[in-house]
Amino acid sequence: MTAIAVLLCVVTVIPGTARADNPIVQTIYTADPAPLVHNGRVYLYTGHDEDGSTYFTMKEWRVWSSADLVNWTDHGSPMSVATFTWASADAWAGQAVYRNGKFYWYVPVKDRASGQMAIGVGVSNSPTGPFTDAIGHPLVRNGEIDPTVFIDDNGQAYLYWGNPNLWYVRLNADMISYSGSPTKIPLTTAGFGTRTGDPNRPTLYEEGPWVYKRNGLYYNVFAAKCCSEFIGYSTAPGPTGPWTYRGTIMPTQGGSFTNHPGVIDFNGGSYFFYHNGALPGGGGFTRSVAVEKFTYNADGTIPAINMTTTGAPRVGTLNPYVRQEAETIAWGSGVETEPAGEGGMNVGWIENGDHIKVKGVAFGSGATSFSARVASATSGGRIELRLDGVNGTPVGTCTVPGTGGWQTWTTVTCPVTGATGTHDLYFKYTGGSGYLFNANWWQFTGGSSIQIGVT
Ligand SMILES: [Ca+2]
Ligand SMILES: [Ca+2]
């Protein structure tokens, strides 16, 4: 019985267990992940390392979202250095939180007048923006970076930040002002571990704090030591301490000399976001955000977590019978994204042989047709629909014509056969040389993805 059960398990698991979904974003370099769970989705706020960067050359922040932790929708850049008229550079590591119907995005950015790093705060009615400067000046400015914001159960919010020090201040309920003065958290070796070899930095705390509360325990997860950094953490019985160092979560790995944590619970699982240099051309200034699933120990401590190329398991399916964005991607090869003239983002830079994988597409009883919103300033190409591999089972091919412009959109439709059940779907783009076409969104028609009762 055991052997049979194991065999059955293997047979059923393999089709859904695809590999290499880390890093999360393949279209650009991303850094400093800050995940936020809201209304059944994970919104992932990141920085953007410019291609070929040799410093932390960062001009804008980016937003992504997912309901299944494998297919991530690109929401573009709803906030940049230019959002803050008083700022001159350095769109570095921030965090967005939700309160009272608004999203507040706390970020470090360089104050033009003083030349010091300061903390700004953007605000939006939507998790994907656009964000505007909430106050028109820095929220705090003391030359230190890396804000994290935590709202306790009693409604008191705290802003923590700092490198080389670790500061906190109590935010008012409006989330854009504070009471009292910024206070230094004592960096004791009991609280933050012992660093050797640097008399100016006696503890392991370096930067990038991520403060949250879980089951009554307060956590401060942070980038430790330098350089290269690892991720360590401390816990406390209250939001202002006293902190106790609890050890390493993620050791130094992955080809980037910095790292940055973001920790959430979602859909019954716990997830650890970080960054590394895993994309081609990647390194300390060309980083990529990734995610691992983990399970807290019974006493609330966090196990060691290693970087993988596998990423988090899928926690849902994708419904192909509603509009899905072309820029919803589990893995993209050869493509990039840009703002679309008719709203949102589109996929572009599509050449012969490029592809996009979307995982866990629930075709149910079977799709009969496929439509895609496309544009082409050249002579177009083809979208081959394949299951479970870039050269997997073909279930349809749509021909894309020239439309007279890269933002001159039309909808093409083609028949589909053999797409039933749940599969990883590959869009394999084929055609001539050069850029073929852009894609904005897609949708199948046919069988019901969710079969409830009889209609
Ligand atoms: Ca390409
Ligand atoms: Ca789109």
Side-chain angles (χ1 to χ4, degrees):
M1 285 301 289
T2 304
I4 290 170
V6 167
L7 271 176
L8 285 173
C9 183
V10 166
V11 167
T12 50
V13 163
I14 281 175
T17 313
R19 316 126 294 273
D21 293 318
N22 272 336
I24 288 170
V25 177
Q26 306 85 40
T27 49
I28 59 170
Y29 296 111
T30 54
D32 303 322
L36 170 68
V37 176
H38 184 75
N39 279 354
R41 288 185 79 81
V42 177
Y43 293 88
L44 178 60
Y45 300 82
T46 76
H48 174 195
D49 283 338
E50 296 293 319
D51 289 359
S53 182
T54 55
Y55 181 64
F56 299 112
T57 307
M58 305 173 77
K59 304 170 181 173
E60 63 177 16
W61 296 271
R62 305 282 294 222
V63 184
W64 323 82
S65 75
S66 178
D68 56 25
L69 291 170
V70 295
N71 300 304
W72 290 89
T73 302
D74 185 340
H75 298 288
S77 175
M79 194 167 84
S80 71
V81 170
T83 303
F84 303 96
T85 57
W86 47 269
S88 59
D90 299 342
W92 290 357
Q95 182 181 1
V97 299
Y98 172 79
R99 187 167 201 177
N100 293 335
K102 291 186 186 299
F103 297 82
Y104 297 91
W105 196 351
Y106 301 84
V107 289
V109 68
K110 182 173 283 184
D111 174 51
R112 180 185 291 107
S114 66
Q116 275 194 319
M117 291 304 291
I119 309 300
V121 54
V123 65
S124 177
N125 294 320
S126 162
T128 58
F131 286 80
T132 58
D133 186 352
I135 48 179
H137 55 81
L139 176 61
V140 292
R141 190 191 75 214
N142 64 0
E144 300 201 41
I145 58 172
D146 289 1
T148 179
V149 168
F150 159 69
I151 306 171
D152 210 345
D153 300 331
N154 64 4
Q156 178 64 58
Y158 298 84
L159 170 73
Y160 306 79
W161 78 102
N163 175 359
N165 300 293
L166 176 57
W167 301 84
Y168 78 89
V169 71
R170 286 181 172 83
L171 293 178
N172 295 327
D174 65 9
M175 300 301 280
I176 57 172
S177 62
Y178 58 84
S179 294
S181 300
T183 301
K184 270 188 193 177
I185 294 174
L187 289 177
T188 64
T189 55
F192 296 92
T194 302
R195 183 187 318 216
T196 55
D198 185 348
N200 295 320
R201 304 288 292 252
T203 80
L204 293 170
Y205 177 80
E206 180 72 17
E207 59 182 355
W210 181 267
V211 176
Y212 65 99
K213 182 184 188 179
R214 189 175 186 277
N215 292 341
L217 190 60
Y218 295 77
Y219 293 78
N220 183 349
V221 183
F222 55 87
K225 205 168 66 65
C226 185
C227 294
S228 296
E229 294 174 344
F230 67 92
I231 302 295
Y233 78 114
S234 305
T235 63
T240 62
W243 297 97
T244 299
Y245 184 60
R246 296 296 182 186
T248 299
I249 297 176
M250 176 169 277
T252 298
Q253 294 174 342
S256 163
F257 63 87
T258 66
N259 199 349
H260 188 286
V263 187
I264 56 167
D265 283 347
F266 178 68
N267 228 357
S270 298
Y271 297 90
F272 183 85
F273 291 76
Y274 60 96
H275 69 223
N276 61 21
L279 274 191
F285 303 116
T286 44
R287 297 161 291 179
S288 288
V289 166
V291 60
E292 309 294 342
K293 188 177 185 182
F294 74 98
T295 302
Y296 285 88
N297 298 314
D299 63 358
T301 56
I302 300 175
I305 301 170
N306 288 304
M307 299 182 183
T308 76
T309 57
T310 310
R314 174 167 60 81
V315 296
T317 56
L318 196 79
N319 180 356
Y321 302 117
V322 299
R323 167 174 163 161
Q324 297 288 352
E325 299 303 318
E327 64 275 14
T328 296
I329 299 171
W331 190 267
S333 176
V335 300
E336 298 181 40
T337 63
E338 63 184 348
E342 55 183 13
M345 301 289 283
N346 66 256
V347 170
W349 292 268
I350 293 171
E351 293 160 287
N352 181 48
D354 291 346
H355 76 265
I356 285 175
K357 175 178 71 172
V358 183
K359 290 183 83 174
V361 179
F363 291 105
S365 58
T368 54
S369 77
F370 169 81
S371 295
R373 189 71 169 168
V374 291
S376 174
T378 55
S379 55
R382 291 178 301 282
I383 306 172
E384 298 182 17
L385 309 171
R386 292 175 178 268
L387 303 184
D388 303 319
V390 69
N391 295 312
T393 306
V395 296
T397 298
C398 255
T399 298
V400 176
T403 64
W406 293 116
Q407 294 293 330
T408 304
W409 296 97
T410 192
T411 304
V412 295
T413 300
C414 53
V416 172
T417 55
T420 62
T422 298
H423 296 272
D424 293 348
L425 171 64
Y426 287 73
F427 302 107
K428 182 178 181 180
Y429 305 113
T430 57
S433 60
Y435 297 126
L436 304 178
F437 53 89
N438 290 343
N440 187 0
W441 52 262
W442 56 268
Q443 182 170 350
F444 286 82
T445 59
S448 171
S449 180
I450 302 164
Q451 296 168 28
I452 301 169
V454 178
T455 57

